[in-house]
Amino acid sequence: MADKLKVTLVRSTIHRSIKQKQTIVGLGLRKLNSSAVVEDTHAVRGMIRKVQHLVAVEPAE
């Protein structure tokens, strides 16, 4: 398993709940198609699972 993950926002947060918007910000994403490299921890995996319909995840190089 990779020790870092690249998370990309691929769907808009318009009409999403406040918690989902806060999770996106917590992952370090701001605009559509923006990417962030995050550590692969259980907390981050949980955040990704909450917004899995809005993001794309791949191992970071």
Side-chain angles (χ1 to χ4, degrees), residues 12-61:
S12 175
T13 58
I14 295 173
H15 300 295
R16 303 296 176 185
S17 70
I18 296 294
K19 290 196 175 203
Q20 288 180 357
K21 290 179 183 182
Q22 290 173 341
T23 302
I24 293 295
V25 171
L27 286 171
L29 303 172
R30 300 184 61 135
K31 295 181 177 181
L32 199 58
N33 295 320
S34 66
S35 296
V37 176
V38 295
E39 294 289 328
D40 187 9
T41 62
H42 293 294
V44 170
R45 289 280 179 152
M47 292 170 76
I48 290 171
R49 182 175 293 167
K50 290 290 184 183
V51 293
Q52 65 186 354
H53 56 287
L54 301 176
V55 298
V57 181
E58 58 189 42
E61 310 237 349

